Amino acid sequence: DLRQKQIDAVVKMLNLNSP
Amino acid sequence: FKVLVLDPFTRDIIAPLLKVNELRKYGITLHLMLGADRQPISDVPAIYFVAQTEQNVKRIALDVSVPLYDTFHLNFSSPLPRPSLEELASECVKTDSISRVNKVYDQYLGFVSLEKGLFSLAQPRSYVKLNDPAAKDTDVEQAVAGMVEGIFSVLVSLGVVPIIRCPKGGAAEMVASELEKRLRDHLVTRNNLFTEASQAGGSFQRPLLCLFDRNFELAVAVQHGWTYQPLVHEMIGLNLNRVTV
């Protein structure tokens, strides 16, 4: 699911975690 | 407490994914536009998520030099070109503010996910840019490069290297050959973005990526979906899953 993968990446970014 | 700084392109990426209350859940109390006049907020980390344009890099360097925030986490929707990164670094060194830049990330998020199985490259008027007889070569190249970067982001997110098929002699072929070049250039590096996905039990079967040219696929232009969503799209206009009446 591409949308979910993009959400996960954005959340990671907002939590200041590395990609 | 964190500040999120966006530009129009990345605002459109975030808008269909997360609502304002969901942003709060992740500690984002304020989201602002990079181009707007912003007041300094001390003791607050700022997350920048913007497109990799020269203009944005200049503005970020200015923000860091003020400084507008305590620390800067810079995220670019597609890879920041080397000269821009060097410019950012030299500007920050000049103003002795480099220590405030915590990290710089290439995010590969340069596309808009509208639904589970539908995304847009968010490139307005791309058809005109590619087909206008008065268009300059540089404009066409820029439009193609934008599409290639967007599709590349999608492939990185999915962790797949597809087999590419396209009709000959049009914009789709230009996109396909540039995309192939981009993938090949990237895959020669040892720890590339697709290594992790393949090691994590990724599929051995490569998906098929078909690129069509609207000039050759005339049937698409006259085919109308008889469901509610296309009807609304044609009658009122649908942008980022939103209808403005």
Side-chain angles (χ1 to χ4, degrees), chain A residues 1-3 5-7 9-11 13-16 18-19, chain B residues 2 13-14 16 26 47 49 75 105 109 111 113 116 119 157:
Chain A
D1 180 352
L2 181 63
R3 188 171 183 270
K5 283 182 196 256
Q6 199 180 26
I7 291 173
V10 169
V11 167
M13 176 177 79
L14 300 181
N15 285 330
L16 305 180
S18 56
Chain B
K2 284 174 273 186
I13 294 173
I14 299 271
Y26 302 111
I47 302 166
F49 178 42
N75 298 270
Y105 291 126
L109 291 170
F111 60 95
S113 288
K116 207 172 161 185
F119 68 87
S157 299

Side-chain angles (χ1 to χ4, degrees), chain B residues 77-198:
Chain B
S77 56
S78 291
L80 185 65
R82 185 84 198 176
S84 300
L85 185 64
E86 283 170 8
E87 193 198 327
L88 178 66
S90 76
E91 285 296 317
C92 291
V93 168
K94 234 187 270 174
T95 54
D96 196 21
S97 52
I98 198 115
S99 60
R100 292 189 201 107
V101 178
N102 195 291
K103 289 269 166 62
V104 180
Y105 291 126
D106 293 333
Q107 287 285 357
Y108 297 96
L109 291 170
F111 60 95
V112 177
S113 288
L114 296 170
E115 290 171 28
K116 207 172 161 185
L118 176 70
F119 68 87
S120 161
L121 299 178
Q123 314 242 338
R125 298 181 63 78
S126 55
Y127 180 81
V128 176
K129 284 179 197 161
L130 291 173
N131 294 285
D132 183 358
K136 291 183 213 145
D137 282 354
T138 47
D139 292 340
V140 175
E141 279 165 21
Q142 220 174 352
V144 169
M147 286 177 208
V148 168
E149 212 46 67
I151 300 171
F152 188 75
S153 283
V154 169
L155 298 175
V156 170
S157 299
L158 289 170
V160 293
V161 182
I163 292 161
I164 307 168
R165 289 283 178 269
C166 67
K168 267 185 178 268
E173 191 183 10
M174 284 163 73
V175 174
S177 63
E178 285 299 313
L179 181 64
E180 190 211 0
K181 218 163 87 185
R182 181 92 168 80
L183 282 165
R184 275 186 199 280
D185 289 348
H186 182 74
L187 286 168
V188 290
T189 53
R190 212 165 146 226
N191 284 320
N192 62 62
L193 293 156
F194 301 98
T195 319
E196 200 185 327
S198 62

